């Protein structure tokens, strides 16, 4: 676990830019907030990203909340390597090793220029049926691949959220990037599962680690250009067409079967199946793949979906992120600041307007005072083709997003995911929901002990003297801080502590009853002695 601040601590800090930031420009920044006035944080592998406006410019501020070995040295290499490479595919950034003050200590940030454009995922959602745009996008990816290969660079995590599409392509999130001055085989992350070879490991860190991603993107875009319905059928918001499950077993993949059924894609689909079964070192370049050169000799027979269902037991679900049961407040509390897949059945939909008359909607998965919900503010509602309504009650949803810190309001204490894109929400069947909750990465079993809840929210449980690793013990409290010392999350913890006994086995708060004090013993001996002495004194004076 890391020694970095938690999400709620960063949220508190960035609300006071004058004291939080060391950068003269960021001191005057205005941080983007949601309908409750709280900072909007976007999630990445190692960092939370905040949007800031300052001096008429827009910036992305990346604050690290997970340990990344040799972070400062890594960004030094990245800065020099990208400047040397040139090109137009990267965003200007500045690594600041002491950029932000949190609880009396300074931590690193990356200040990045903001680039307008749609993420690859959003672009595909809006344009998948436009063959011309999809074909132009594919050619742009070919250009990016050729450029990176010529400079011996690799991004390490090409996926829907890390590519911006406008007139050209921009690559963002440089935590896992490789530049020629770095040592190979020492990767800090493994990339998005739906775009990576199933056998990729940290040892594969180097100039060739984007090969599989470029092949998957290219084949997927060609498939969409041929038949846009393939995108509608297989996209889940985090992929294009293929997923990690397909890469693990392409022979029994319905998506591979559909792609192979297209004559223009049959050869390359079969070759990709062979690549999935071969070692990572056997992945060819995109150029060789398109020419059918250097394809690993691993013959894979792709069966039709009907044949696959008849001959094989249902495969375990492999999602892009950890799967969490939406009915478990305690388990979700452990994921604050992380990007997850939330699976649950809608129990209530509340639509209203803010004090500024902007519409918003809360979608609940539990009607308890400690609940799990989706926050959909006006900008998020504008992205949805159909706004949530009472018709959603009883529906099962799969939701992917960053878990916000706990918030206490009129509906009690809630943990939530904020929806900013249509691609985050998928309606699924109850059968599929239960299949996902049984996945190897699922946190589906309920925990009803409040000690787990407290640890998940970043505080030591009672009566144990141990601390939740990486949450509070590694960040010493400041002796004097200009930032308000108590976060909203800590206020929630105080409320929970005041209403929860240390031996409670229920997530429902119970009134705290003070321990009964033993009755004091009356010292009769001393009282009698005093009375006799007083009587003797009175007699003597009389």
């Amino acid at each position: 676990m890391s020694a970095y601040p938690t999400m709620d601590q960063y949220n508190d800090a960035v609300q006071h830019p004058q004291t939080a930031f060391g950068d003269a420009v960021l001191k005057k920044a205005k941080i983007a907030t949601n309908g409750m006035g709280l900072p909007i944080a976007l999630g990445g592998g190692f960092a939370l990203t905040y949007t800031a406006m300052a001096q008429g410019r827009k910036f992305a501020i990346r604050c690290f909340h997970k340990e990344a070995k040799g972070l400062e040295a890594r960004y030094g290499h990245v800065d020099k390597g990208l400047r040397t490479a040139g090109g137009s595919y990267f965003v200007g950034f500045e690594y600041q090793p002491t950029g932000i003050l949190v609880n009396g200590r300074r931590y690193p940030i990356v200040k990045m220029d903001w680039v307008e454009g749609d993420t690859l995922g959003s672009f595909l959602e809006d344009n998948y049926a436009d063959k011309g745009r999809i074909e132009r996008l594919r050619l742009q990816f070919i250009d990016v691949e050729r450029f990176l290969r010529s400079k011996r660079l690799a991004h390490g995590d090409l996926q829907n959220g890390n590519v911006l599409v406008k007139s050209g392509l921009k690559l963002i999130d440089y935590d896992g990037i490789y530049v020629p001055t770095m040592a190979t085989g020492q990767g800090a992350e493994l990339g998005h599962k739906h775009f990576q070879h199933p056998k990729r490991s940290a040892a594969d860190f180097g100039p060739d680690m984007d090969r599989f991603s470029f092949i998957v993107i290219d084949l997927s875009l060609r498939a969409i250009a041929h038949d846009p319905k393939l995108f509608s059928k297989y996209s889940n918001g985090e992929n294009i067409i293929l997923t990690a499950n397909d890469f693990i077993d392409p022979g029994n993949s319905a998506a591979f079967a559909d792609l192979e059924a297209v004559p223009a894609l049959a050869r390359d689909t079969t070759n990709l199946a062979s690549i999935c079964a071969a070692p990572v070192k056997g992945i060819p370049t995109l150029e060789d793949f398109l020419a059918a050169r250097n394809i690993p000799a691993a013959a894979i027979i792709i069966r039709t979906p009907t044949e696959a269902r008849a001959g094989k037991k249902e495969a375990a679900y492999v999602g892009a992120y950890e799967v969490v049961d939406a009915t478990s407040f305690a388990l979700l509390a452990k994921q604050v600041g992380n990007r997850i897949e939330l699976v649950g059945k809608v129990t209530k939909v509340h639509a209203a307007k803010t004090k500024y008359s902007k519409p918003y909607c809360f979608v609940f998965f539990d009607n308890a005072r400690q609940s799990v919900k989706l926050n959909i503010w006006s900008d998020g509602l504008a992205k949805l083709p159909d706004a949530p309504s009472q018709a959603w009650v009883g529906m099962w949803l799969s939701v992917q997003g960053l878990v916000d810190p706990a918030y206490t309001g009129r509906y009690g204490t809630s943990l939530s995911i904020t929806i900013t894109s249509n691609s985050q929400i998928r309606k699924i069947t109850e059968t599929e929901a239960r299949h996902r909750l049984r996945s190897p990465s699922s946190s589906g079993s309920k925990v009803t002990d409040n000690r787990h809840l407290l640890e998940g929210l970043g505080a030591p449980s009672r009566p144990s003297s141990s601390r939740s690793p990486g949450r509070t013990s590694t960040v010493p409290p400041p002796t004097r801080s200009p930032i308000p010392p108590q976060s909203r999350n800590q206020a929630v913890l105080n409320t929970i502590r005041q209403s929860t006994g240390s031996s409670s086995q229920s997530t429902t708060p119970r009134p705290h009853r003070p321990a009964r004090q033993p009755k004091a013993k009356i010292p009769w001996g001393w009282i009698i002695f005093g009375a006799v002495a007083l009587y003797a004194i009175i007699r003597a004076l009389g």
Side-chain angles (χ1 to χ4, degrees):
M1 300 296 289
S2 82
Y4 291 111
T6 57
M7 182 178 177
D8 57 319
Q9 291 172 329
Y10 276 127
N11 280 356
D12 282 346
V14 300
Q15 291 180 80
H16 306 273
Q18 183 65 38
T19 52
F21 298 116
D23 184 275
V25 174
L26 296 184
K27 281 180 175 292
K28 300 176 181 179
K30 182 177 181 181
I31 305 298
T33 58
N34 62 24
M36 292 184 291
L38 299 175
I40 298 173
L42 304 176
F46 293 101
L48 303 169
T49 302
Y50 296 93
T51 304
M53 286 294 298
Q55 298 183 355
R57 296 178 60 191
K58 198 172 184 180
F59 298 94
I61 305 171
R62 291 177 57 77
C63 300
F64 297 91
H65 69 124
K66 292 183 181 179
E67 188 67 40
K69 185 178 179 181
L71 185 67
E72 186 169 358
R74 173 183 293 276
Y75 266 92
H77 284 289
V78 173
D79 184 28
K80 183 178 180 180
L82 297 188
R83 289 179 188 276
T84 301
S88 61
Y89 301 117
F90 300 101
V91 178
F93 74 93
E94 178 186 350
Y95 177 81
Q96 299 178 1
T98 58
I100 189 169
L101 178 70
V102 182
N103 288 349
R105 288 186 60 183
R106 292 205 167 272
Y107 298 91
I109 64 170
V110 175
K111 173 186 171 187
M112 305 188 75
D113 294 335
W114 186 271
V115 177
E116 296 295 340
D118 294 324
T119 62
L120 174 60
S122 295
F123 180 86
L124 292 175
E125 288 276 353
D126 295 338
N127 298 282
Y128 70 91
D130 189 326
K131 182 176 180 179
R133 287 193 173 186
I134 296 301
E135 289 180 337
R136 285 194 296 274
L137 178 64
R138 180 190 168 233
L139 294 178
Q140 288 175 319
F141 269 105
I142 289 176
D143 288 341
V144 173
E145 187 276 338
R146 188 179 297 117
F147 172 81
L148 295 181
R149 181 157 46 91
S150 70
K151 301 296 182 179
R152 290 189 59 76
L153 300 174
H155 182 275
D157 190 19
L158 295 173
Q159 44 120 324
N160 284 354
N162 286 343
V163 181
L164 296 180
V165 184
K166 199 175 182 182
S167 55
L169 302 185
K170 292 281 188 182
L171 307 182
I172 58 175
D173 188 348
Y174 306 149
D175 296 344
I177 202 168
Y178 171 84
V179 298
T181 56
M182 290 179 173
T184 60
Q186 299 179 21
E189 62 177 54
L190 301 180
H192 196 296
K193 292 179 185 178
H194 294 338
F195 291 83
Q196 298 298 328
H197 193 283
K199 298 177 184 177
R200 179 182 169 180
S201 70
D204 299 309
F205 180 73
D208 300 331
M209 62 181 173
D210 287 340
R211 288 185 175 187
F212 188 84
S213 302
F214 276 118
I215 289 172
V216 168
I217 292 170
D218 184 86
L219 183 60
S220 299
L221 293 181
R222 279 192 283 156
I224 294 173
H226 171 80
D227 183 3
K229 296 188 188 68
L230 290 171
F231 181 81
S232 302
K233 183 177 181 179
Y234 290 112
S235 173
N236 63 22
E238 290 291 332
N239 70 330
I240 301 179
I241 291 177
L242 301 169
T243 68
N245 271 100
D246 299 314
F247 303 145
I248 291 172
D249 188 7
N252 289 297
S253 161
F256 266 92
D258 279 347
L259 296 185
E260 190 188 41
V262 179
L265 305 177
R267 182 198 69 181
D268 288 346
T269 301
T270 301
N271 286 344
L272 176 56
S274 297
I275 291 169
C276 290
V280 175
K281 294 187 181 300
I283 302 173
T285 64
L286 178 59
E287 182 179 351
D288 282 351
F289 175 77
L290 294 176
R293 296 192 299 261
N294 298 320
I295 305 300
I300 301 294
I301 298 175
I302 300 174
R303 297 193 287 178
T304 67
T306 301
E307 292 172 336
R309 284 193 297 269
K312 185 182 178 183
K313 183 180 178 181
E314 182 181 44
Y317 174 71
V318 179
Y321 310 103
E322 184 164 357
V323 180
V324 180
D325 186 342
T327 63
S328 179
F329 184 95
L331 289 173
L332 191 65
K334 294 184 176 183
Q335 299 290 343
V336 170
N338 294 331
R339 194 170 179 86
I340 63 151
E341 178 179 356
L342 188 72
V343 175
K345 184 169 69 172
V346 176
T347 59
K348 183 172 65 175
V349 175
H350 172 79
K353 291 185 178 181
T354 67
K355 61 182 180 180
Y356 305 108
S357 297
K358 290 188 175 181
Y360 71 90
C361 183
F362 293 154
V363 177
F364 291 85
F365 296 97
D366 196 338
N367 295 328
R369 292 293 292 175
Q370 289 180 349
S371 60
V372 176
K373 65 183 174 69
L374 307 181
N375 297 331
I376 314 178
W377 306 106
S378 57
D379 54 348
L381 286 172
K383 300 288 183 66
L384 301 182
D386 59 323
S389 66
Q390 296 307 313
W392 282 39
V393 174
M395 286 184 176
W396 287 84
L397 300 180
S398 165
V399 182
Q400 294 170 333
L402 188 76
V403 181
D404 297 323
Y407 179 83
T408 298
R410 60 184 295 189
Y411 299 105
T413 300
S414 64
L415 288 163
S416 60
I417 290 177
T418 298
I419 303 301
T420 59
S421 169
N422 179 41
S423 62
Q424 289 180 257
I425 302 178
R426 282 291 181 274
K427 296 175 182 177
I428 58 177
T429 64
E430 180 177 356
T431 300
E432 176 61 20
R434 299 196 183 284
H435 172 55
R436 295 188 182 202
L437 289 172
R438 290 194 301 268
S439 73
S441 65
S442 173
S443 295
S445 58
K446 286 190 178 183
V447 175
T448 57
D449 189 333
N450 273 340
R451 288 177 297 174
H452 294 277
L453 170 62
L454 295 176
E455 289 169 4
L457 289 173
S461 62
R462 295 186 298 167
S464 172
S465 61
S466 63
R467 295 186 175 216
S468 178
R471 290 286 185 179
T472 58
S473 61
T474 54
V475 184
T479 56
R480 188 175 183 181
S481 172
I483 300 173
Q486 187 183 66
S487 69
R488 287 179 170 83
N489 217 14
Q490 291 164 337
V492 171
L493 287 175
N494 289 338
T495 301
I496 294 173
R497 288 195 184 98
Q498 292 165 7
S499 60
T500 306
S502 62
S503 62
S504 171
Q505 295 298 313
S506 171
T507 56
T508 303
R510 296 179 179 176
H512 177 70
R513 295 182 176 88
R516 180 176 295 176
Q517 299 296 323
K519 292 183 178 180
K521 293 183 179 180
I522 301 174
W524 291 110
W526 286 104
I527 292 174
I528 294 171
F529 175 81
V532 171
L534 181 62
Y535 178 75
I537 293 171
I538 294 172
R539 287 283 308 267
L541 290 175

